[in-house]
RNA sequence: GGCGCCUUGGCCGAGUGGUUAGGCAGCGGCCUGCAAAGCCGUUUACAGCGGUUCGACUCCGCUAGGCGCCUCCA
């Protein structure tokens, strides 16, 4: 299997099974309900893990929770820890309801502070960082490789608006920030006084705490390439750690519906999407685009995803054809080639058309969509209505028949007539 | 100003130097009491302009439009 790697800007072949393939995908900063775009790295990470495991890999996924951050302080003055805890639970609930299971590890920044302090001390000892007024900064000039991941030219980087008096070089970034009592109600002790870690160092440390200094895949949104991942790789490489072999960056989700825009802050949360469309439609939606490309979230694109979901589910009401195991190969080819889910989806549709239901079920299961293969048993009152309608039809009392069909519809059930008076009851999503 | 990405038929989205994925929607038909589901058929696609080539949607250049990032947005 090969995957596109941002570092080398090329497709990189994964080692042969069983690997291992250790993956670290950047998770959310917990200060509010995560929006649907935040679900993409989670979904991609979980799908990759499932696919790798199905192919005999020893695959593992770490997804971190950033629970120390300015946004959290801003959102809940005086109660930031409580908000972070609550928002962490929201995220776990929301992603859990996607039905993909959970990553192997969900480390919190707040649990890693001693390790972060130790990592920073080592950077200082090696001359890659310096203390300044209670803050500690990474010295970009000490690391000539800086900028390689993102391709940014340090001399062209736009300067931030923050006063940089404490930095030796405006490009330097914070590893540790001294506590500001007026706005920050959490802090940790360190050799440089009370403070808190910077964002980038949290991820370097959490990844290495679990995997050690080298692992296979580091994932996250394309918007994190610079500065977040550039800084992570600088911190770890500066200490001679190999860190990630492959950098996998997922494309951004765009809100293109009329009612939504990120600038107005009016965006759908994962919870909103779950309530409006359900997990199956969300997963099919993510399947329709390559993981590296942008994907548009709108009423129209979601409606289409829902229609696709129905098409796939309807396949299971048909007579299955004898399993042709060799057809599985077509699916493997698509996913082993940079995890091309749109192509894989086309294969699933092909199987649906020709009645390869066992393969279809197995393929859907990779993406957490095995529920599409399940038929829900109708409750007694629904079966009773259906029987009455069947009788009315037999007696050619179509007025009663149509009325009963409407009643079934109101209960969320669809009655599909078959030749010879038989019928099938199908749950409408 | 810098780094990078994208532009395929009504919509979404693969793909290849010459044989045109897939889905949704639309239209016609079969089936049905009528539907639904399914099946069959169907709708002059590759932003524009140059160049390379026997031949480009596919390679190169330019233009236009869109998007991401530029120190704490997945």
């Amino acid at each position: 299997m090969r995957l596109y790697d941002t570092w080398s800007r090329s497709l990189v072949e994964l080692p042969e099974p069983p690997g291992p393939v250790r993956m670290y995908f950047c998770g959310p900063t917990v200060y509010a309900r995560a929006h649907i775009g935040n679900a993409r790295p989670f979904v991609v990470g979980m799908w990759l893990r499932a696919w790798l495991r199905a192919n005999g890999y020893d695959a593992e996924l770490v997804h971190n929770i950033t629970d120390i951050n300015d946004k959290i302080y801003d959102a809940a003055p005086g109660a930031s820890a409580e908000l972070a805890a609550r928002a962490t639970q929201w995220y776990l609930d929301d992603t859990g309801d996607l039905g993909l299971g959970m990553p192997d590890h969900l480390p919190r920044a707040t649990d890693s502070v001693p390790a972060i302090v130790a990592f920073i001390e080592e950077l200082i000892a090696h001359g890659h960082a310096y203390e300044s007024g209670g803050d500690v900064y990474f010295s970009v000039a000490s690391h000539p490789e800086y900028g390689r991941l993102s391709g940014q030219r340090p001399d062209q980087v736009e300067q931030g608006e923050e006063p940089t008096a404490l930095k030796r070089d405006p490009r330097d970034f914070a590893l540790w920030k001294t506590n500001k009592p007026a706005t920050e109600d959490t802090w940790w002790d360190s050799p440089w006084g009370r403070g808190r870690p910077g964002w980038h160092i949290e991820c370097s440390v959490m990844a290495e705490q679990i995997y050690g200094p080298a692992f296979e895949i580091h994932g996250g949104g394309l918007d994190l390439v610079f500065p977040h991942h550039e800084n992570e790789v600088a911190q770890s490489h500066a200490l001679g750690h190999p860190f990630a072999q492959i950098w996998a960056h997922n494309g951004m989700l765009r809100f293109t519906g009329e009612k939504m825009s990120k600038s107005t802050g009016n965006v759908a949360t994962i919870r909103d999407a779950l309530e409006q469309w359900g997990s199956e439609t969300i997963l099919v939606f993510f399947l329709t685009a390559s993981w590296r490309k942008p994907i548009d979230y709108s009423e129209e694109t979601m409606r289409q995803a829902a229609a696709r979901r129905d098409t796939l589910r309807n396949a299971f009401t048909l007579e299955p054809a004898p399993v042709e195991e060799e057809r599985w190969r077509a699916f493997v080819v698509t996913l082993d080639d940079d995890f091309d889910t749109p192509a894989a989806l086309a294969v699933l549709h092909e199987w649906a058309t020709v009645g390869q239901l066992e393969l279809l079920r197995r393929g859907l299961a990779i993406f957490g969509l095995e529920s599409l293969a399940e038929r829900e048993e109708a409750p007694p009152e629904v079966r009773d209505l259906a029987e009455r309608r069947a009788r009315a039809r037999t007696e050619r009392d179509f007025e009663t028949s149509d009325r009963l069909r409407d009643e079934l519809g109101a209960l969320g059930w669809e009655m599909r007539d078959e030749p010879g008076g038989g019928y099938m009851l199908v749950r409408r999503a």
Side-chain angles (χ1 to χ4, degrees):
Chain A
M1 170 172 199
R2 50 190 198 156
L3 272 183
Y4 186 81
D5 165 43
T6 307
W7 180 264
S8 63
R9 315 218 172 236
S10 63
L11 292 166
V12 171
E13 199 70 35
L14 259 56
E16 289 299 304
V21 178
R22 292 162 292 186
M23 302 186 278
Y24 182 96
F25 273 63
C26 279
T29 296
V30 282
Y31 62 99
R33 283 273 181 190
H35 66 72
I36 185 68
N38 288 291
R40 180 114 99 142
F42 177 90
V43 169
V44 169
M46 293 301 290
W47 279 350
L48 261 178
R49 190 185 73 173
W51 179 240
L52 291 168
R53 285 183 177 170
N55 286 282
Y57 277 98
D58 176 13
E60 217 178 323
L61 178 64
V62 174
H63 194 56
N64 70 288
I65 304 286
T66 298
D67 57 357
I68 308 173
N69 189 287
D70 279 341
K71 289 194 165 184
I72 307 171
Y73 292 127
D74 291 346
S80 67
E82 290 78 0
L83 174 64
R86 200 162 63 240
T88 297
Q89 195 54 49
W90 287 338
Y91 185 74
L92 299 180
D93 291 345
D94 294 349
T95 51
D97 285 349
L98 257 15
L100 293 171
M102 275 292 159
D104 300 283
H105 307 274
L106 291 150
R108 273 81 157 163
T110 47
D111 291 334
S112 308
V113 176
I116 290 169
V117 169
F119 201 104
I120 295 173
E121 286 185 295
E122 209 180 334
L123 282 169
I124 294 175
H126 284 78
H128 290 294
Y130 57 91
E131 188 270 335
S132 177
D135 291 353
V136 180
Y137 294 96
F138 183 90
S139 172
V140 169
S142 77
H143 189 62
E145 184 191 79
Y146 190 82
R148 166 137 182 221
L149 178 69
S150 62
Q152 290 289 331
R153 302 226 311 258
D155 53 314
Q156 290 291 345
V157 169
E158 228 173 26
Q159 299 307 321
E161 317 214 344
E162 300 276 316
T164 53
L166 293 173
K167 298 182 185 179
R168 292 179 188 165
D169 183 319
R171 301 170 299 167
D172 293 350
F173 57 90
L175 300 172
W176 188 265
K177 299 193 123 186
T178 193
N179 177 245
K180 300 181 190 67
T183 53
E184 300 174 2
D185 61 343
T186 56
W187 62 79
W188 290 262
D189 288 316
S190 81
W192 320 287
R194 276 184 175 184
R196 61 182 176 95
W199 179 36
H200 317 301
I201 193 73
E202 294 173 1
C203 275
S204 276
V205 172
M206 284 189 274
E208 296 198 16
Q209 265 192 304
I210 291 166
Y211 288 146
F215 55 98
E216 284 68 34
I217 299 178
H218 190 127
L222 209 43
D223 54 341
L224 296 184
V225 176
F226 190 89
H228 185 51
H229 291 162
E230 189 72 71
N231 292 353
E232 274 184 57
V233 76
Q235 292 154 3
S236 292
H237 280 188
L239 292 183
H241 302 174
F243 211 55
Q245 274 172 30
I246 294 177
W247 287 85
H249 289 107
N250 62 269
M252 308 307 288
L253 178 143
R254 298 185 295 214
F255 292 97
T256 55
E258 288 173 19
K259 285 172 271 181
M260 277 179 227
S261 88
K262 213 172 172 190
S263 56
T264 62
N266 186 23
V267 298
T269 62
I270 300 173
R271 180 56 50 190
D272 293 336
L274 281 166
E275 285 172 2
Q276 189 180 356
W277 301 102
S279 62
E280 294 165 341
T281 297
I282 294 171
L283 294 176
V284 171
F285 165 70
F286 280 126
L287 232 31
T288 60
S290 159
W291 65 281
R292 291 199 280 130
K293 295 207 171 165
I295 188 168
D296 292 338
Y297 182 91
S298 69
E299 191 80 17
E300 173 68 12
T301 55
M302 290 306 286
R303 215 183 44 69
Q304 289 190 22
R308 283 183 100 120
R309 174 209 57 191
D310 291 341
T311 298
L312 292 168
R313 182 164 41 210
N314 280 331
F316 291 97
T317 64
L318 303 176
E319 275 301 303
V323 181
E324 296 172 44
E325 198 59 43
E326 66 280 4
R327 280 175 175 269
W328 181 254
R329 181 79 204 138
F331 190 66
V332 172
V333 167
T334 62
L335 292 180
D336 277 359
D337 181 17
D338 200 25
F339 209 63
D340 186 356
T341 58
L345 185 56
V347 173
L348 295 179
H349 278 291
E350 169 69 16
W351 289 343
T353 302
V354 300
Q356 287 298 320
L357 302 187
E358 173 52 27
L359 296 183
L360 180 57
R361 191 199 56 73
R362 217 188 296 164
L364 288 169
I366 298 293
F367 303 119
L369 287 166
E370 60 270 43
S371 59
L372 295 180
E374 288 160 12
R375 288 282 306 284
E376 194 178 329
E377 199 59 35
E381 64 269 28
V382 169
R383 290 209 301 271
D384 182 54
L385 276 175
E387 275 305 317
R388 283 166 53 200
R389 175 166 176 276
R391 270 201 302 279
R393 275 191 75 222
T394 309
E395 292 158 11
R396 304 194 67 78
D397 177 3
F398 298 125
E399 207 171 302
T400 304
S401 166
D402 289 349
R403 181 174 54 77
L404 290 170
R405 181 163 59 194
D406 289 345
E407 283 183 34
L408 282 165
L411 291 172
W413 287 84
E414 182 183 310
M415 190 164 172
R416 294 182 186 167
D417 299 335
E418 290 169 349
Y423 60 86
M424 182 182 286
L425 282 169
V426 180
R427 177 90 202 172
R428 281 200 325 206

